Amino acid sequence: MKPLSSYFVVVTIVFSFSSTTSFAADINEKFVQCLINYSHNTNTSISNVVYTQTNSSYSSILYASIQNLRFTANTTPKPLVIVTPLEVSHIQGTIICSQRQGLQIRIRSGGHDYEGLSYVSQVPFVIIDLINLRQVQVDAKKSTAWVQSGATIGELYYSISEKSRTLGFPAGVCPTVGIGGLLSGGGYGFLMRKYGLAADHVIDAQMVDVKGRFLDRKSMGEDLFWAIRGGGGASFGVIVAWKIKLVQVPSTVTVFNVPRTLEQNATNIIHKWQRVASKLDERLTIRINIERVNSTQTGNQTIQASFESMFAGDLDELIPLMEKKFPELGLVREDCTEMSWIESAVFLAGFSGQPTQVLRNRTQPNLVFFKNKSDYVKVPIPDAALEGLWPMLYEEGIESPLIEITPYGGRMDEISESETPFPQRAGNLFHIRHHVNWKEEGDEAAQRHINWTRRVYSYIEPYVSKSPRAAYLNYRDLDIGVNNNGYTSYEQASVWGLKYFNNNFHRLAKVKTKVDPRNFFRNEQSIPPLKERK
């Protein structure tokens, strides 16, 4: 990959709706002048790429990457500045000028942060939006790729498929998720049991730190390189690009999506799944999506569990395996489809039958309001507890509740919890995502649905991990604890930090203390220094 300082940049200046005109004008003038002074030797004239709130491009730039309608209200705090760079010097200038003007920075790649932390703040702030830093360079001979943080999973997958039919990458399902956020938080998908997390395959990175220095793995050092691969990169700087090791996939994989309702013995099938899914052949991942549907038999509402799978092998291998290990599902050949790995990415993303180019689309087809929480399970949940959960999915006024469970085991049992900051490895049977989305507008609807996730989370507590009750950083959840706007002690941050990182949290704080002791890169759940230097 070329040195990133050779690329161009777009810088967009916008103002908070809540800011006074005089304050906004003053910040605008000082910030722009600072950037001009800092950037006079760059490839792009700042005067051509600065936009104020009155510019016609304001709304489209601000809202282009917002994936959750919860954060599109007029009352949501807006940035004073948005920078969408393609030139490292403009990232450096933004970091330096933001510090001089007392502004915080939020870093956005795909805009999927579940609590909007990549583009929302309660104090005056700058967004560095990496939407134009999206180049992917695949070296099929070496099975590696350089991918810039603003690229999406779909763009990465598609670029890999253009170079090889037998190379892939163990990342997520949703194609519009930004690579920057995915890799810095962990990243998992249907190849996790075979190859581990996306972050486990990062072999180099390029970033800009709080001093404006452009660093790679060698110059940043192994402690910082460890921290950004699952510890939340936005706590430590701006990660510009990642070098990743690609993995081998067969030319043919097999997929299926088999629904079973309560009337079709779904609870007993889930009972067996809990006991075998993490022990199956590591090439096979079977995820379950549990939701409320209308029965095709009676027309009444029922609970449906959809067993969604990708097997990195052909159909003739899969059927005997399932008949031996998981006959309760009743899988037959007609349920399955053989296809290429890249076609399976399209299938699992919900675009079955569409051309693979659909993965390059950065726009979500139907934006909704949503809230998520997460859990890890080490002991099977009793049938009686599952049966107590089903009525919660029927609750009136809750539009689209979903319980998603993903098996662990395989490669995840073999990686030490300290290998990266992501600690949830051996001993977990599966991961749970408690999700609800809705289209009804208004605060009352939002609170009703958010409260639903909290009640489900409370109900399931006796059956999930303990001391700490673990959570997944990429399913951000501010309910589990937040930092102060000002100084936050390590002890206070540990309330949420131990849930995400367990024993790795203290090491992350030590790295933070070394590389950003004044805690410039911060948000509601950023890693704090052990003791902030004033």
Side-chain angles (χ1 to χ4, degrees), residues 340-463:
S340 66
W341 171 76
I342 193 64
E343 289 170 332
S344 77
V346 175
F347 174 86
L348 295 167
F351 300 118
S352 183
Q354 296 192 39
T356 56
Q357 287 86 347
V358 71
L359 295 174
R360 301 171 66 186
N361 189 348
R362 296 181 67 97
T363 305
Q364 288 274 47
N366 297 296
L367 290 180
V368 293
F369 304 89
F370 65 84
K371 170 69 177 178
N372 286 269
K373 302 176 79 66
S374 61
D375 269 310
Y376 289 86
V377 176
K378 297 179 180 295
V379 178
I381 299 174
D383 288 358
L386 292 176
E387 290 167 355
L389 178 62
W390 304 153
M392 304 184 78
L393 297 174
Y394 288 123
E395 287 189 18
E396 186 176 353
I398 305 302
E399 290 187 30
S400 299
L402 172 71
I403 305 296
E404 177 187 277
I405 52 180
T406 302
Y408 264 50
R411 177 65 178 145
M412 293 297 283
D413 280 343
E414 301 168 356
I415 302 174
S416 166
E417 73 166 32
S418 61
E419 181 69 20
T420 70
F422 184 99
Q424 285 84 34
R425 305 286 190 170
N428 288 297
L429 296 180
F430 55 90
H431 170 267
I432 306 179
R433 180 168 70 109
H434 315 287
H435 173 87
V436 66
N437 65 57
W438 65 98
K439 295 181 179 179
E440 182 183 352
E441 297 183 358
D443 292 342
E444 191 279 329
Q447 202 58 52
R448 183 189 336 129
H449 287 86
I450 291 171
N451 285 341
W452 180 87
T453 65
R454 291 169 177 166
R455 285 187 286 107
V456 170
Y457 189 72
S458 177
Y459 171 82
I460 209 74
E461 182 174 9
Y463 314 105

Side-chain angles (χ1 to χ4, degrees), residues 374-376 424 457 465-466 468-472 498-500:
S374 61
D375 269 310
Y376 289 86
Q424 285 84 34
Y457 189 72
S465 60
K466 299 173 177 63
R469 182 178 183 176
Y472 177 36
L498 293 176
K499 293 179 173 67
Y500 289 137

Side-chain angles (χ1 to χ4, degrees), residues 182-196:
L182 176 95
L183 292 176
S184 69
Y188 74 93
F190 280 82
L191 288 172
M192 174 177 67
R193 301 188 63 251
K194 172 68 173 175
Y195 290 112

Side-chain angles (χ1 to χ4, degrees), residues 165-241:
R165 185 182 173 89
T166 57
L167 288 175
F169 190 66
V173 170
C174 179
T176 57
V177 168
I179 286 295
L182 176 95
L183 292 176
S184 69
Y188 74 93
F190 280 82
L191 288 172
M192 174 177 67
R193 301 188 63 251
K194 172 68 173 175
Y195 290 112
L197 302 177
D200 296 332
H201 297 267
V202 174
I203 55 178
D204 203 345
Q206 297 171 333
M207 68 175 291
V208 181
D209 72 0
V210 70
K211 297 180 180 179
R213 296 176 298 185
F214 184 56
L215 308 173
D216 61 7
R217 178 176 182 173
K218 182 178 180 180
S219 55
M220 75 176 70
E222 289 302 302
D223 285 342
L224 180 53
F225 182 67
W226 173 85
I228 63 175
R229 293 175 295 136
S235 291
F236 304 98
V238 179
I239 319 299
V240 183

Side-chain angles (χ1 to χ4, degrees), residues 134-152:
R134 54 202 282 190
Q135 187 180 33
V136 182
Q137 293 182 347
V138 177
D139 187 334
K141 291 183 179 180
K142 294 182 179 179
S143 298
T144 62
W146 271 105
V147 53
Q148 293 179 322
S149 287
T152 64

Side-chain angles (χ1 to χ4, degrees), residues 240-260:
V240 183
W242 312 77
K243 187 177 184 181
I244 56 175
K245 184 68 175 177
L246 306 181
V247 301
Q248 292 293 318
V249 293
S251 58
T252 299
V253 303
T254 307
V255 299
F256 64 80
N257 192 341
V258 175
R260 295 288 186 261

